[in-house]
Amino acid sequence: MLAAAAIGVAAALLLLRLTTPDGAPTPLDDRTAVTPPPLPPRPEPTPVAPLPAQLSEALDLMAMGRLQEAQRLMLDFSRGPDAEALPPEHRETMTAMLGRLADDPVLAAAMELEVGFEDADLNRLRRTLGSLARQQMISLRRDPQAARRVDDARRLTAEVDAIEARLDSDRLAALRLAQDFRRRHPRFADGLDFERRAAAAIDETAGRLIAANRLEEARTLLLELKTMRGDQAGESPRVEAKLTAIEAVFKRRDDLDATVREIEVLGWKRPHEALRLLAGMERTPENRGRFAQLQSTFTMLLEDLDRNGPEVEILIPEDPEKAPGVYDRDEDVVLRLRATDDYDVLSVRFFWRWFDNDGAGEVVEETLQPATPAPLQVPAGAAGAETAVVEFEVTISVAEHRGRNLQFWAEAADRGGRASRSAEGELRPERRGFLRRLGLRRGI
């Protein structure tokens, strides 16, 4: 149909051309004869100012999830002179970007982590890590710097938890961890005060060990503490005082051990002396068992060496001018005592009294004087034992006997507690006749 219409229009124009006289104006000529006024030029569109490089870079950072860098860039740009010259549409873009970044929870968490590290605020880091949902954590890890902050915060809190756990169990390990923690995180260490707390815990543990008499363990702890802490804080005087007290105890123990060793050596030769020394030693929880064993050993050894009771005899000096059993009533009576035992004579006592036809006087114990400087030991016993022989002298003065008949005896005891008594002896005063009394006759 369109083709037919076009053909019709062409045919009409041709017919009109043929029927129009030459020179007569055609409608087309009439149209072209009048020149219309020119149209005003079309205004060129005003070119849009390109987006500033800072805003463009911030948009790229936001698209990559690096919100913290984007916010820093936007805040720096918004405070600068270039922000004042922005056209309205770019200013709207900047305002929208700042609002978007300010309301972003992931960015807020990243900022909290940054502030937590800047202020050395461990509690803030813990709260921030605990508040992040899984999707927020994934978004936060898209920012390399924020991801590093998350990892650092997790490692830091894990180290702190490990030190806290060791403070209740292995205090030395806690102190070592705390010192390493201070070297790497000095600002956080100042607030946590782990080293002082660990040192105080070690000092307290050492005190309990000392109270329980576990001195070696206490000394090991305190020496470790002294080596690790040096003269820091105020615990050194306490540590030094405890170490001094422990060393004093060890010194007393060493002296006591040396004394006990000497007693042991003595005990195999003179068990009674070893028993006497042991009886004077102070009993402590450490030596009580050892002393009891030594006492039992020396007691049995003493019983084995000292099986028999002592023998005691009174020796009356012989005077050829006097009859046996007679003494000079004008002189002191001097007697000699001898006691013998298969181990050792503990004591010798001498007793005497006067008697006559009417009765007897009271028993008198006379003081003895050693006849030799020390007891005489004569090897004669069985099983390596020694036989002890001691001698004493006793004097009954003229003022005491007054020329009367005398009766006397001696008693002896050995280390085993056995006692014996000598045979009773008698002395009578020499009878003097008339010539003797005049000094004209001597003797009998």
Side-chain angles (χ1 to χ4, degrees):
M1 291 179 64
L2 292 175
I7 295 171
V9 172
L13 290 175
L14 180 61
L15 180 60
L16 180 62
R17 180 70 177 170
L18 293 175
T19 59
T20 301
D22 294 338
T26 62
L28 183 60
D29 292 336
D30 292 340
R31 187 188 62 182
T32 59
V34 180
T35 304
L39 295 174
R42 184 175 180 179
E44 293 292 334
T46 304
V48 179
L51 195 65
Q54 292 90 334
L55 296 184
S56 179
E57 184 180 354
L59 285 173
D60 292 340
L61 290 172
M62 292 174 66
M64 291 186 292
R66 299 164 64 178
L67 303 180
Q68 195 171 358
E69 297 178 55
Q71 187 182 51
R72 286 199 186 94
L73 185 61
M74 289 296 299
L75 290 175
D76 292 342
F77 179 78
S78 65
R79 298 187 186 102
D82 294 339
E84 298 295 332
L86 284 177
E89 61 272 16
H90 292 347
R91 181 175 294 278
E92 291 179 4
T93 301
M94 181 185 70
T95 303
M97 291 174 65
L98 287 172
R100 165 76 175 80
L101 292 172
D103 296 336
D104 192 281
V106 176
L107 180 59
M111 295 301 296
E112 282 292 302
L113 290 175
E114 182 176 358
V115 173
F117 277 102
E118 289 177 355
D119 296 344
D121 189 345
L122 183 67
N123 292 329
R124 194 167 196 163
L125 296 179
R126 286 188 187 276
R127 287 196 304 269
T128 304
L129 290 176
S131 66
L132 289 172
R134 181 175 180 276
Q135 192 59 42
Q136 291 175 329
M137 183 65 75
I138 294 174
S139 300
L140 193 62
R141 282 194 167 277
R142 292 174 184 166
D143 186 334
Q145 186 175 9
R148 285 195 299 272
R149 293 290 188 192
V150 169
D151 292 338
D152 290 344
R154 282 179 169 175
R155 282 193 294 267
L156 186 69
T157 54
E159 288 183 39
V160 170
D161 292 340
I163 297 174
E164 289 282 2
R166 293 293 181 88
L167 283 174
D168 295 329
S169 56
D170 190 347
R171 272 85 180 211
L172 283 176
L175 182 55
R176 294 189 188 97
L177 290 176
Q179 290 181 329
D180 180 65
F181 185 85
R182 172 174 288 281
R183 285 191 292 270
R184 292 181 292 106
H185 312 289
R187 296 174 61 247
F188 281 95
D190 290 338
L192 295 171
D193 202 17
F194 277 142
E195 290 177 90
R196 186 198 61 79
R197 292 167 57 193
I202 292 172
D203 186 64
E204 179 186 356
T205 302
R208 290 200 298 269
L209 290 173
I210 292 173
N213 204 33
R214 296 162 62 181
L215 300 184
E216 192 64 47
E217 297 175 61
R219 181 170 66 172
T220 300
L221 269 182
L222 293 173
L223 288 175
E224 285 277 1
L225 176 59
K226 183 179 177 181
T227 301
M228 296 173 69
R229 288 285 286 171
D231 295 330
Q232 294 180 7
E235 70 264 10
S236 290
R238 298 195 304 272
V239 171
E240 289 295 341
K242 287 186 174 66
L243 283 173
T244 301
I246 291 173
E247 293 300 333
V249 172
F250 286 161
K251 178 64 168 57
R252 289 196 299 271
R253 285 184 180 178
D254 292 340
D255 294 342
L256 179 63
D257 287 342
T259 302
V260 172
R261 286 194 294 270
E262 293 176 0
I263 292 175
E264 285 184 282
V265 173
L266 176 65
W268 293 106
K269 296 181 179 179
R270 305 285 288 171
H272 73 280
E273 294 184 15
L275 289 170
R276 176 178 57 81
L277 292 174
L278 281 177
M281 300 290 286
E282 179 184 0
R283 264 44 174 186
T284 64
E286 295 83 8
N287 64 30
R288 186 174 290 114
R290 184 179 182 186
F291 282 4
Q293 182 179 5
L294 288 176
Q295 185 171 7
S296 175
T297 299
F298 296 152
T299 300
M300 289 189 294
L301 180 60
L302 179 60
E303 292 175 354
D304 185 61
L305 296 176
D306 191 10
R307 297 181 178 181
N308 302 314
E311 296 179 0
V312 59
E313 56 182 333
I314 301 174
L315 305 177
I316 303 174
E318 295 183 359
D319 188 345
E321 297 184 357
K322 296 184 179 65
V326 175
Y327 73 95
D328 190 339
R329 67 179 67 223
D330 296 327
E331 296 179 359
D332 296 338
V333 175
V334 179
L335 302 175
R336 192 175 185 91
L337 282 67
R338 177 182 295 164
T340 306
D341 188 65
D342 56 353
Y343 175 71
D344 189 34
V345 178
L346 178 62
S347 64
V348 178
R349 304 172 69 186
F350 177 79
F351 304 91
W352 68 274
R353 63 183 174 182
W354 60 264
F355 69 95
D356 56 20
N357 294 331
D358 296 330
E362 294 182 356
V363 176
V364 177
E365 181 176 359
E366 200 69 45
T367 303
L368 303 180
Q369 298 295 329
T372 55
L376 177 64
Q377 298 291 333
V378 180
E386 295 179 342
T387 298
V389 179
V390 294
E391 293 187 357
F392 296 91
E393 285 185 351
V394 61
T395 301
I396 305 174
S397 66
V398 175
E400 291 177 310
H401 63 67
R402 286 189 261 178
R404 292 174 292 189
N405 296 334
L406 302 178
Q407 186 181 47
F408 44 84
W409 65 93
E411 294 178 357
D414 62 8
R415 292 291 175 181
R418 300 176 183 87
S420 61
R421 179 170 174 168
S422 70
E424 292 186 0
E426 293 185 359
L427 284 175
R428 63 183 184 275
E430 182 183 13
R431 296 174 61 88
R432 293 187 292 182
F434 177 75
L435 294 178
R436 182 66 181 273
R437 287 196 297 272
L438 293 177
L440 300 177
R441 184 178 180 184
R442 293 180 57 84
I444 295 178

